[in-house]
């Protein structure tokens, strides 16, 4: 594999061969499965989420080049609608719940989905608006105005 | 029926119903009701129900013996697909670096506010305590939501249903919701919202809207998982 990786380094824009990309994803999945099994059960972190962080770190640290993972990843992401079909059909196993109190539950789920979408979007918009409204605000100005630093510093962070 | 016990049946059925959905979606010029994933789900369940009646079997039993071997193979590919979201996330590292504080606070406060709203709606529609507890962890992906749901006294089958329907709803109604509530004026909030409400599928949808939306949705899937892990048990302890 390292031989082929070297080839990819020399031709910068050329994507790594399909199987090499697959191998990279499989290796990351393997490592993240091991990490996931070490995490305590009361704080579950699924392997794919660990894998995403792992790949993101490897890309950020320039250990992996984006051409080695880009095109295979794009194929997978484009397929997600299809990959999710078995999850949708798995509801067939729970039709008895639907029969008992299905209408209420589906209604709550639908409303909750919209709540999660809108509340997250608007809350973030509020924080970005705050940042844009006070772009030059730093810890020093807060001190000079007599506002306790500790109370505000964690709200705005180091930005 | 030997063919029903090999993985072939599950894979074949998934393909056929999804392709039927794509065809209907194209024929109807993108009518949300014919969104491929939604059509595939309804059509697939209907076929299983009819087939179960025809064979004189229980639907759940038929699902487990006939559909699941093949379905699980397709489902497994969601693992590398989730990992793949690191790529769009990395491509927009500039946004992450500039707005990380706003992203974190938006997701944290957004989740807490949403939890109160979800409890309110659930009580209004008359869900019992088990039902409400099952609704709380739904912002996280299934792998996180199910154990948390069990831990706080919910029914994990209902939670699984919530997580799955979240994704289907966002995929089907996402473009309408974005337009109706003018979410597109702020791509960061738009992406975080889609990732929170629609999980991995919502992230794929967000990526179609733009690179910022896609990367924000990907980061939302990661951080919301941690937020749900930490906040929901505490919240259910205090509020329920």
């Amino acid at each position: 594999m390292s031989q082929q990786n070297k080839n990819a380094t020399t031709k910068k824009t050329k994507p790594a061969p399909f199987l090499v990309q697959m191998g990279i994803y499989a290796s990351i999945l393997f490592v993240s499965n091991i990490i996931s099994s070490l995490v305590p059960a009361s704080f579950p972190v699924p392997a794919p989420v660990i894998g995403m962080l792992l790949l993101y770190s490897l890309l950020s640290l320039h250990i992996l080049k984006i051409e080695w993972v880009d095109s295979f990843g794009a194929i997978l992401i484009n397929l997600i609608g299809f990959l999710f079909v078995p999850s949708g059909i798995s509801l067939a196993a729970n039709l008895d719940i639907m029969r008992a109190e299905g209408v209420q539950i589906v209604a709550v789920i639908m409303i909750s989905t919209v709540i999660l979408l809108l509340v997250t979007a608007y809350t973030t918009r509020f924080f970005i608006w705050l940042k844009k409204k006070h772009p030059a605000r730093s810890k020093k100005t807060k001190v000079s105005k007599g506002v306790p630093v500790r109370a505000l510093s964690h709200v705005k962070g180091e930005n | 029926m030997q063919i029903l016990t090999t993985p072939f049946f599950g894979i074949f059925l998934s393909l056929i119903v999804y392709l039927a959905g794509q065809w209907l979606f194209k024929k109807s010029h993108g009518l949300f009701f014919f969104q491929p994933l939604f059509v595939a789900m309804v059509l697939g369940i209907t076929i299983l129900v009819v087939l179960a009646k025809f064979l004189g079997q229980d639907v759940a039993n038929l699902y487990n013996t006939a559909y699941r071997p093949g379905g699980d193979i397709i489902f497994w590919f969601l693992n590398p697909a989730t990992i793949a979201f690191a790529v769009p996330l990395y491509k927009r590292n500039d946004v992450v670096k500039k707005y990380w504080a706003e992203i974190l606070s938006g997701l944290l406060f957004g989740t807490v506010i949403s939890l109160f709203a979800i409890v309110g709606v659930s009580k209004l529609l008359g869900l019992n305590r088990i039902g409400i507890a099952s609704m709380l962890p739904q912002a996280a992906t299934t792998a996180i939501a199910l154990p948390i749901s069990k831990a706080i006294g919910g029914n994990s089958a209902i939670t699984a249903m919530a997580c799955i329907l979240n994704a289907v709803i966002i995929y089907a109604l996402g473009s309408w919701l974005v337009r109706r509530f003018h979410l597109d004026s702020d791509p960061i909030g738009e992406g975080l919202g889609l990732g929170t409400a629609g999980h991995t599928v919502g992230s794929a949808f967000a990526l179609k809207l733009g690179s910022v939306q896609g990367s924000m949705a990907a980061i939302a899937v990661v951080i919301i998982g941690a937020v749900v892990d930490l906040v929901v048990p505490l919240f259910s302890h205090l509020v329920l």
Side-chain angles (χ1 to χ4, degrees):
Chain A
M1 201 176 96
S2 62
Q3 195 66 39
Q4 266 149 325
N5 281 354
K6 268 176 202 160
N7 285 345
T9 335
T10 48
K11 297 167 207 161
K12 262 202 164 167
T13 48
K14 201 178 167 240
F18 196 72
L19 283 178
V20 174
Q21 296 201 27
M22 250 175 134
I24 293 173
Y25 277 94
S27 315
I28 290 170
L29 202 53
F30 179 70
V31 175
S32 48
N33 266 313
I34 294 172
I35 299 175
S36 177
S37 65
L38 299 175
V39 174
S42 55
F43 189 85
V45 190
V49 171
I50 295 175
M52 197 205 291
L53 286 172
L54 211 58
L55 179 54
Y56 176 72
S57 317
L58 290 172
L59 287 168
S60 300
L61 296 169
H62 304 290
I63 297 170
L64 284 180
K65 287 202 186 304
I66 199 144
E67 308 90 78
W68 299 350
V69 288
D70 196 4
S71 53
F72 185 66
I75 291 171
L76 286 169
I77 290 174
N78 275 325
L79 273 176
I80 274 188
F82 171 65
L83 298 180
F84 208 72
V85 170
S87 306
I89 294 183
S90 74
L91 296 184
N94 296 320
L95 286 178
D96 47 332
I97 299 174
M98 296 284 269
R99 255 175 233 131
E101 40 188 342
V103 182
Q104 282 171 24
I105 288 178
V106 172
V108 173
I109 293 171
M110 284 191 80
I111 298 169
S112 304
T113 312
V114 178
I115 288 173
L116 285 168
L117 172 68
L118 296 185
V119 170
T120 311
Y122 285 127
T123 313
T124 313
R125 193 180 290 191
F126 168 74
F127 282 111
I128 291 174
W129 172 79
L130 265 188
K131 182 190 177 121
K132 282 186 179 147
K133 206 180 164 207
H134 307 287
R137 212 197 239 184
S138 68
K139 282 176 193 169
K140 275 179 192 165
T141 56
K142 279 171 206 161
V143 176
S144 67
K145 279 175 190 166
V147 181
V149 185
R150 229 173 293 139
L152 283 166
S153 60
H154 65 280
V155 178
K156 285 300 288 176
E158 270 78 48
N159 253 355
Chain B
M1 293 276 258
Q2 191 117 60
I3 197 158
L4 289 183
T5 55
T6 65
F8 170 79
F9 176 71
I11 295 173
F12 183 64
L13 182 66
S14 310
L15 266 173
I16 292 298
V17 290
Y18 192 74
L19 289 175
Q22 278 192 329
W23 181 78
L24 275 173
F25 195 60
K26 211 175 162 188
K27 279 279 162 195
S28 63
H29 301 287
L31 190 67
F32 77 87
F33 189 73
F34 289 132
Q35 203 285 319
L37 176 58
F38 182 68
V39 173
M41 182 180 104
V42 174
L43 210 58
I45 293 176
T46 312
I47 290 175
L48 283 180
V49 169
V50 171
L51 205 60
K53 261 217 171 110
F54 182 69
L55 294 170
Q57 274 188 27
D58 183 45
V59 184
N61 184 39
L62 182 73
Y63 162 78
N64 279 318
T65 54
Y67 179 76
R68 212 161 154 195
D72 279 349
I73 293 176
I74 298 173
F75 178 77
W76 183 86
F77 281 93
L78 278 176
N79 291 321
T82 306
I83 294 179
F85 276 103
V87 176
L89 179 58
Y90 172 73
K91 280 183 182 164
R92 293 317 303 254
N93 230 347
D94 54 324
V95 183
V96 180
K97 278 184 181 141
K98 192 169 171 201
Y99 289 104
W100 64 270
E102 286 70 26
I103 293 168
L104 279 180
S105 28
L107 289 173
L108 183 63
F109 288 98
T111 310
V112 174
I113 298 168
S114 302
L115 286 177
F116 279 106
I118 290 170
V119 170
V121 170
S122 308
K123 284 202 167 145
L124 215 63
L125 289 176
L127 288 195
N128 55 18
R129 198 198 170 279
I130 299 172
I132 299 174
S134 316
M135 290 299 161
L136 291 179
Q138 63 173 298
T141 52
T142 328
I144 294 173
L146 297 194
I148 297 284
S149 169
K150 243 179 244 164
I152 62 172
N155 178 342
S156 52
I158 298 179
T159 308
M161 188 189 281
C163 289
I164 293 162
L165 286 181
N166 282 336
V168 177
I169 291 166
I170 287 297
Y171 219 52
L173 298 180
S175 20
W176 179 78
L177 287 167
V178 164
R179 249 182 293 125
R180 176 72 186 72
F181 294 99
H182 307 291
L183 299 182
D184 38 2
S185 60
D186 170 37
I188 298 178
E190 186 184 15
L192 292 177
L194 289 169
T196 307
H199 321 303
T200 324
V201 175
S203 306
F205 176 81
L207 199 57
K208 283 186 199 158
L209 299 176
S211 63
V212 177
Q213 287 92 327
S215 68
M216 290 300 107
I219 204 170
V221 170
V222 175
I223 293 172
I224 282 293
V227 170
V228 168
D229 268 345
L230 294 170
V231 172
V232 169
L234 189 71
F235 180 88
S236 75
H237 189 71
L238 294 175
V239 176
L240 287 187

